Amino acid sequence: SHCFAEIIDNSIDNFKKNDAVDGRIDISIENGVLRFVDNGSGMDVTSLEKSVKAGSSDKSKYTDLGLFGVGFNIATSKLGDITTIYTKQVTSPNWYSASLNIRELIRKKSYLYECNEVELKGLSSVSGTIIEIQLKRESAAELSRKSSQAKIRQQLGEIYSYMIRQGVPGLSGDVAGAKLPVSITFQGEAVVPKLPCIWGEARTTTNGDAAVIKIDEVLTDRKLCETCGHWELPQADMCSNCSSTDIHLVERRIWGWLGVQRYIDTDHYGITYLRNGRAIDVLNKGVFKWY
C-alpha cells in the first residue's frame, strides 16, 4: 500500500495545485499490469522527462506529498521492472509517454529512458496521467488475490482518511476531516476512509479528564532547506548544513487531537501522524505502554 501511496500522492498534489473539482484516481490490475489513471492536468514534456530521472523533480521534498524521481522510482521498482508514464495536457493534441526499465538500468549502468509522442485510442480524458507497471511475477500473483486487494483498499483508507472523509462521529472542527473533491478506486471498488471510533467530546473519563484533547501549537517560523531539510533561523541566507541557498520561510504548526477509543484492542491503537493531510505513520505506539 505504501508503494501505491507514493504514486497516488503525485496525483493528489496535482489536484490540489489546480483546484480540481472532480479528481479521480482509478487503479486496476489486468494481465500482470498495474495501472494508475488520474484526470489531472497532466505534464509537459520537460516535466515528464524529470519524472523518470532519479533525483529530479519540480516539486518540493518537504511541502508536497509525492515526488517523482527517486521516491517514485523506488516505489515502482518494488512492484515491477518496467514502468511507463503516459501524460497529456489540455493544450496537447496527443499523449506523451516515457518508459523506464530498472533491470536494464542496473545491467548497463546507464540511465536510459524513452520519451515519445503517442496516440491513445478510447480515452475520453482531455488531460491526465497514466502510470503502468509491468508487475513482477510474485507481485502480480499477490495483487490478483481478492483478499490482497481488500487489504490494500483498507490501508489506503487509513492513509488518506483525513482527505477523503467529511467528519468523525464525536469530533468537531477542522481536525475531523478535510474532504477533498477526490475519489480513489481499486479494481472498481471505492477506497473509503477508516474512521476513528472514539468517545465524543462531551464525555469525560472517571477522573474528570476530557475524552478528546485537541492540540494546536504554532511554532516560530523558520527557513527550510529544500536540499537537505535542515531548519535555519529566519535571517539566514544559506543552509549551514549543506551550504545550499535554496531555502525559504515556512510557517510551522502542530495540530490535531487525542481521543479515548471506544473499544479495547491489543493492536489497533496509537497515534497517526499526518503531513499535509496524508498519514505518514499510522498508529505509532511509541508513547504507549500496554498493561
Side-chain angles (χ1 to χ4, degrees), residues 78-150:
K78 287 181 179 179
L79 297 168
D81 292 322
I82 301 174
T83 298
T84 304
I85 304 172
Y86 301 92
T87 191
K88 180 182 181 298
Q89 295 184 313
V90 173
T91 54
S92 174
N94 281 321
W95 293 73
Y96 288 96
S97 73
S99 295
L100 182 66
N101 189 322
I102 298 293
R103 184 175 296 175
E104 286 296 298
L105 183 154
I106 296 171
R107 186 175 69 86
K108 295 183 178 179
K109 298 180 181 179
S110 175
Y111 208 89
L112 300 175
Y113 64 91
E114 297 178 3
C115 190
N116 302 295
E117 187 173 0
V118 296
E119 182 180 357
L120 296 183
K121 296 181 180 180
L123 285 177
S124 58
S125 299
V126 294
S127 66
T129 298
I130 301 171
I131 296 169
E132 292 185 347
I133 304 169
Q134 186 69 50
L135 293 170
K136 298 174 183 176
R137 184 178 300 175
E138 59 271 21
S139 297
E142 177 66 25
L143 292 176
S144 65
R145 299 189 184 101
K146 295 289 186 182
S147 58
S148 297
Q149 295 169 10

Side-chain angles (χ1 to χ4, degrees), residues 6-7 66 124 135 172 191 263 287:
E6 184 73 38
I7 299 168
S124 58
L135 293 170
S172 65
V191 171
Y263 57 93
V287 299

Side-chain angles (χ1 to χ4, degrees), residues 190-211:
V191 171
V192 296
K194 173 68 175 179
L195 298 182
C197 182
I198 60 170
W199 287 3
E201 293 177 5
R203 292 190 63 175
T204 58
T205 63
T206 53
N207 60 2
D209 291 334

Side-chain angles (χ1 to χ4, degrees), residues 8 16 26 45 58-59 61-62 67 69 76 78 80 87 106 123 149 162 199 204 208 211 216 218-219 238 240 245 254:
I8 293 169
K16 285 184 172 182
D26 298 316
V45 175
D58 287 331
K59 302 201 295 178
K61 298 180 199 175
Y62 305 103
L67 280 176
T76 56
K78 287 181 179 179
T87 191
I106 296 171
L123 285 177
Q149 295 169 10
Y162 181 79
W199 287 3
T204 58
D216 195 348
V218 177
L219 308 179
M238 64 181 289
S240 62
T245 56
I254 298 174

